[in-house]
Amino acid sequence: MDRTAALPLRHLATATRATVCVVAPSAGTMTVVTGIPGAAREFFPHLPGQTLPPDSAADVVIAASGPGAEPPPGHSANQWARRLRRAREHGTDIHEYEWEGERSCLAAPVHAPSGKVVAAVGVAIVDSRHLPATAEAARRAARMVSANLHRLAGAGEL
């Protein structure tokens, strides 16, 4: 995944000046595969191997791609269903945190050649005024990573 994500993440980091990463499910949790630290590095550095909380934006875009997933602790079934529906409609999810001010994490799905969502591109944001542009940049980066996965599969490397 590092190879398929390197250039899209660099473009995303340059466009957003934010901390960016690719995360994937591993042993029941969302785990950072690779990342580039940016403005939010003190909030969430996105270091390889770091795990995300069970209601992270990345968790939502992965869950939204499949049949109804059980809500994580602290979420009602209705709240979780609404969040999954919004992620499907917008192609992203945003999770807002209160940590020394407003902080948000945004994620967009990465698709394998089969069409299955296998990972997410994540962005940690310290200034929510730029969310619409950041969301579009994250979707674009996720499409680029997905396209790279398709090319590797076509070359027989997956």
Side-chain angles (χ1 to χ4, degrees), residues 15 25 58 97 134:
Y97 297 89
T134 300

Side-chain angles (χ1 to χ4, degrees), residues 19 37-46 50 99-100 102-103 124-126:
T19 298
R41 68 183 156 272
E42 77 286 349
F43 160 57
F44 198 78
H46 290 83
Q50 194 166 22
W99 185 82
E100 295 181 16
E102 183 182 327
R103 303 288 190 261
I125 307 158
V126 295

Side-chain angles (χ1 to χ4, degrees), residues 59-105:
D59 228 5
V60 171
V61 297
I62 296 288
S65 70
E70 290 296 314
H75 292 274
S76 72
N78 285 339
Q79 288 172 318
W80 189 244
R82 279 192 303 274
R83 198 163 165 203
L84 296 179
R85 186 176 56 252
R86 280 194 310 268
R88 286 184 203 106
E89 290 170 0
H90 298 285
T92 58
D93 183 66
I94 299 167
H95 188 136
E96 295 179 359
Y97 297 89
E98 283 299 323
W99 185 82
E100 295 181 16
E102 183 182 327
R103 303 288 190 261
S104 301
C105 287

Side-chain angles (χ1 to χ4, degrees), residues 24-31:
S26 174
T29 63
M30 293 302 292
T31 304

